[in-house]
């Protein structure tokens, strides 16, 4: 089996295709040293990654863009080799804000287009400069949102060539159907990015999306960091699971590699986040073996319907 992710792409319903393995670039700007993301993306591209998942609210798109441009200048890649996913934040749902927000992302990246642009969450905050607007009591200030109108603005961005594909994130079946049943729908979502790993396998949503040619992109495919400010730390650490470790021993692979291979093998795109050079390379080494049907069933049986990222907002 080839070790390059390029031969392991999954087609999208609009004729585009997405690499099954990507590098997640989520970072806490308060805790992440400057330049970490730049180096991580360059290491990932050298290791063979061609899919980079980012967002304006990670505050590091300038580093992602610089890494991509440096690798293009070196002759390591061409722009069309890279699949970059950007995200529309909660304060930018009003239709008139969608294109300017994407254009801002493109200026930060210094790229002409993104390969995929997605609505990050199906709920909105009050538009304005504050990314997490709160009232005097510290409660979030929400904003009534018309997801169908926001979607139409994304369709216009695709028509303008600013995004090759458009999709959503953290949408449930009802919210997906709202878009798909919209009168005058021009493009349906090609993907839905959601939490997905052996403790949260998303079987019903995965089946619904398969029926409608919507690719599931799984974030937190290895569980998550144990940061109690946004993670449910009462949940058991995924990578200590005895089943994943036992299967890993058989293939001389880590529990992380088994968790990633499990999802890739069921057609779920995975975007593990790491800025650690060794782990970035390790996470990529999942295309030289296959899990048996029995092992896939054993891992499926680990499902606990546990969300690490509870999205309490």
């Amino acid at each position: 089996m080839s070790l390059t992710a390029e031969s392991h792409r999954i087609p999208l319903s609009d004729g585009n295709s997405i690499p099954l393995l990507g590098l997640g670039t989520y970072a806490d700007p308060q805790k992440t040293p400057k330049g970490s993301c730049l180096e991580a993306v360059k290491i990932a591209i050298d290791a063979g990654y061609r899919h980079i998942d980012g967002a304006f609210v990670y505050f590091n798109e300038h580093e992602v863009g610089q890494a991509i441009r440096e690798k293009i200048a070196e002759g390591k890649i061409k722009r069309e080799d890279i699949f970059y996913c950007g995200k529309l934040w909660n304060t930018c749902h009003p239709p008139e804000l969608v294109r300017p927000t994407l254009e801002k992302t493109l200026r930060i990246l210094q790229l002409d287009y993104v390969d995929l642009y997605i609505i990050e969450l199906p709920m909105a905050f009050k538009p304005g400069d504050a990314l997490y607007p709160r009232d005097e009591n510290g409660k979030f200030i929400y904003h009534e949102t018309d997801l169908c109108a926001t979607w139409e603005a994304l369709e216009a961005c695709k028509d303008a060539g600013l995004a090759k594909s458009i999709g959503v994130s953290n949408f449930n079946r009802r919210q997906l159907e709202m878009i798909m049943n919209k009168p005058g729908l021009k493009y349906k979502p090609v993907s839905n990015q959601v939490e997905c790993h052996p403790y949260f396998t998303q079987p019903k949503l995965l089946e619904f999306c398969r029926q409608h040619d919507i690719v599931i992109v799984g974030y937190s495919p290895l569980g998550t960091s144990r940061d109690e400010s946004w993670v449910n730390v009462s949940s058991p650490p995924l990578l200590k699971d005895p089943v994943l470790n036992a299967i890993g021993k058989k293939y001389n692979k880590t529990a992380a590699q088994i968790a990633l291979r499990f999802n890739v093998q069921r057609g779920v795109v995975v975007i593990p986040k790491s800025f650690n050079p060794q782990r970035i390379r390790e996470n990529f080494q999942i295309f030289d073996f296959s899990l048996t049907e029995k092992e896939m069933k054993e891992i499926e049986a680990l499902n606990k319907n546990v969300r690490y990222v509870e999205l309490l907002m």
Side-chain angles (χ1 to χ4, degrees):
M1 215 182 274
S2 164
L3 281 169
T4 67
E6 276 313 286
S7 58
H8 296 275
R9 296 174 76 99
I10 191 163
L12 298 172
S13 57
D14 61 1
N16 201 355
S17 67
I18 182 170
L20 274 161
L21 175 69
L23 179 75
T25 60
Y26 169 79
D28 182 337
Q30 309 300 321
K31 301 176 185 171
T32 309
K34 281 184 181 169
S36 302
C37 181
L38 171 68
E39 288 310 309
V41 173
K42 290 203 287 188
I43 287 162
I45 289 172
D46 285 340
Y49 289 77
R50 295 296 179 261
H51 176 180
I52 313 294
D53 181 82
F56 171 71
V57 290
Y58 299 171
F59 299 103
N60 56 15
E61 285 191 309
H62 59 292
E63 293 187 22
V64 174
Q66 184 183 338
I68 292 169
R69 294 193 313 277
E70 284 183 17
K71 287 298 164 186
I72 291 171
E74 284 175 22
K76 174 81 183 175
I77 51 165
K78 299 184 178 120
R79 170 62 188 96
E80 55 267 28
D81 297 333
I82 291 293
F83 188 99
Y84 182 77
C85 172
K87 302 185 184 81
L88 181 77
W89 182 239
N90 307 358
T91 53
C92 308
H93 280 207
E96 67 276 11
L97 297 182
V98 172
R99 179 165 176 162
T101 303
L102 174 51
E103 287 173 337
K104 185 175 183 180
T105 273
L106 292 174
R107 283 196 300 277
I108 294 168
L109 289 164
Q110 293 183 44
L111 298 175
D112 296 328
Y113 64 90
V114 294
D115 299 272
L116 176 61
Y117 199 54
I118 62 179
I119 300 173
E120 189 157 355
L121 283 156
M123 42 72 71
F125 288 149
K126 177 188 172 188
D129 293 333
L131 293 175
Y132 297 90
R134 294 176 187 265
D135 63 19
E136 60 278 7
N137 300 313
K139 292 190 173 171
F140 285 116
I141 306 171
Y142 295 98
H143 183 73
E144 196 166 310
T145 188
D146 179 350
L147 286 173
C148 291
T150 306
W151 184 255
E152 285 172 6
L154 256 72
E155 291 179 322
C157 289
K158 177 171 163 61
D159 281 338
L162 302 178
K164 296 250 171 163
S165 298
I166 51 176
V168 297
S169 180
N170 297 302
F171 274 49
N172 62 27
R173 174 178 176 156
R174 181 184 63 81
Q175 291 150 346
L176 286 167
E177 285 178 335
M178 193 192 307
I179 300 288
M180 293 190 299
N181 297 332
K182 183 188 84 63
L185 181 72
K186 198 164 187 185
Y187 307 113
K188 72 177 184 182
V190 299
S191 63
N192 185 17
Q193 188 178 125
V194 295
E195 181 174 345
C196 191
H197 47 73
Y199 284 176
F200 194 54
T201 55
Q202 300 266 27
K204 287 181 181 174
L205 187 63
L206 180 57
E207 185 50 37
F208 174 80
C209 286
R210 274 188 186 136
Q211 287 168 4
H212 295 278
D213 289 327
I214 298 170
V215 170
I216 290 278
V217 178
Y219 66 74
S220 301
L222 305 176
T224 57
S225 64
R226 311 298 279 177
D227 182 341
E228 58 191 26
S229 66
W230 58 281
V231 169
N232 176 3
V233 290
S234 68
S235 304
L238 177 70
L239 299 185
K240 291 192 175 165
D241 187 90
V243 172
L244 295 178
N245 281 280
I247 294 172
K249 205 169 272 186
K250 172 185 165 184
Y251 292 103
N252 198 22
K253 295 287 180 182
T254 64
Q257 288 167 319
I258 298 302
L260 293 175
R261 180 69 209 188
F262 163 73
N263 257 335
V264 161
Q265 217 164 296
R266 57 206 286 261
V268 172
V269 173
V270 286
I271 45 170
K273 179 260 163 175
S274 180
F275 288 173
N276 176 305
Q278 183 189 341
R279 289 203 199 108
I280 288 171
R281 295 184 188 105
E282 260 182 19
N283 289 344
F284 195 76
Q285 302 304 315
I286 60 168
F287 297 112
D288 56 347
F289 75 106
S290 288
L291 298 167
T292 65
E293 203 173 318
K294 178 172 175 284
E295 288 160 348
M296 289 291 288
K297 285 198 165 72
E298 283 172 11
I299 299 171
E300 273 172 15
L302 298 177
N303 183 39
K304 305 177 193 296
N305 282 323
V306 160
R307 273 185 203 272
Y308 286 105
V309 185
E310 293 186 307
L311 297 171
L312 296 177
M313 59 186 161

